[in-house]
Amino acid sequence: MSAAPTPPGGVRLRVVSYNIHSQRDDPAALAAVVRGAAPDVVIVQEAPRRFRWRQRCTTLAESFGLVVAAGGLPSLGNLLLTSLRVRVLATRCQRFPLTPGRHLRGAAYAECAVGGARFLLAGSHLSTDPAERPGQAALLKRELAGADLPVVLGADLNEGPDGAAWRTVGEGLTDAAVAADAADRHTYSCADPRRRIDALFVDPRVTVAGYDVVDTPLTRRASDHFPVLADLLLPATG
């Protein structure tokens, strides 16, 4: 997908949202996929969150030609990366309550500026447990609902658009796949693509100028999820 032209009043932003399977697959292919997309921001799920996580997150960002904005251990493996085109103004992380016997989950947030636009970049990865997901979705939605800036959210929701958690998170936001008439493009698994569990939601003020689920021989080696790639047009401030 080529970069979209920027119309008057819009600021271009290229976004990748990607569950990288804890880098358990082909790291060279993973780096090549992201570099080939030439994104302004990457929203990563299953990024380093344990031993030497700072160093490992920095190394991952460098392999993509990007820098770390927010996330890692404080957000339980959600990581926000940016190009030098994007200024990061503020960051924060969120942890969802722990259900005994389950994995800790959370979210990462970064208030950013690019060109003449400001926006809130967010990433999350909800539980595989259907009983746990709705509560996590409600906490994520509460945080997003308090944002004054246009939201750009990438998330592995571990369920499809018919799920309660998906509906909670997506309420009032634009599903980029639906906006691009591409809701039939499955994101998981690369070995047997049958589900769309990886979502990109944007504020209604944001225009979806292009959308793709990148299914290539390289992405099939890089992770067990396909990356979601979108060209957005942000409203200019003022």
Side-chain angles (χ1 to χ4, degrees):
M1 184 177 69
S2 60
T6 305
V11 178
R12 177 183 57 81
L13 185 77
R14 174 161 274 206
V15 180
V16 168
S17 184
Y18 205 170
N19 183 320
I20 64 170
H21 199 208
S22 300
Q23 298 173 268
R24 285 180 282 183
D25 300 292
D26 184 334
L30 179 65
V33 167
V34 175
R35 284 181 174 270
D40 297 300
V41 299
V42 178
I43 305 164
V44 181
Q45 300 90 43
E46 295 196 24
R49 56 178 282 180
R50 293 189 176 90
F51 305 110
R52 299 186 297 109
W53 67 271
R54 288 184 179 87
Q55 178 184 340
R56 292 167 60 210
C57 286
T58 298
T59 299
L60 177 67
E62 289 175 348
S63 76
F64 294 166
L66 303 171
V67 297
V68 173
L73 175 62
S75 62
L76 291 314
N78 297 289
L79 184 64
L80 306 178
L81 308 176
T82 68
S83 72
L84 297 182
R85 178 173 177 256
V86 178
R87 285 192 300 128
V88 178
L89 307 175
T91 66
R92 61 188 184 275
C93 293
Q94 178 182 23
R95 290 189 173 193
F96 304 137
L98 174 63
T99 300
R102 307 296 304 176
H103 291 295
L104 272 170
R105 304 278 181 169
Y109 305 89
E111 296 180 17
C112 301
V114 59
R118 293 182 62 185
F119 64 100
L120 177 66
L121 185 67
S124 189
H125 185 185
L126 300 191
S127 175
T128 57
D129 182 356
E132 194 176 22
R133 278 197 301 271
Q136 294 176 349
L139 292 171
L140 174 62
K141 187 62 178 181
R142 184 183 305 167
E143 193 77 13
L144 296 173
D148 295 325
L149 298 174
V151 169
V152 176
L153 167 68
D156 175 354
L157 298 178
N158 266 313
E159 68 179 33
D162 58 341
W166 185 295
R167 291 193 297 270
T168 295
V169 174
E171 183 180 2
L173 298 174
T174 299
D175 182 334
V178 172
D181 195 24
D184 60 341
R185 299 292 304 280
H186 298 148
T187 65
Y188 181 82
S189 69
C190 291
D192 185 16
R194 291 185 296 174
R195 305 174 67 198
R196 184 166 76 94
I197 64 174
D198 303 276
L200 184 69
F201 295 109
V202 299
D203 187 281
R205 291 169 288 180
V206 175
T207 299
V208 180
Y211 174 92
D212 194 16
V213 175
V214 187
D215 180 355
T216 67
L218 204 59
T219 59
R220 287 177 179 257
R221 298 206 314 268
S223 177
D224 62 342
H225 289 244
F226 293 122
V228 172
L229 170 65
D231 280 317
L232 306 178
L233 298 171
L234 305 175
T237 303

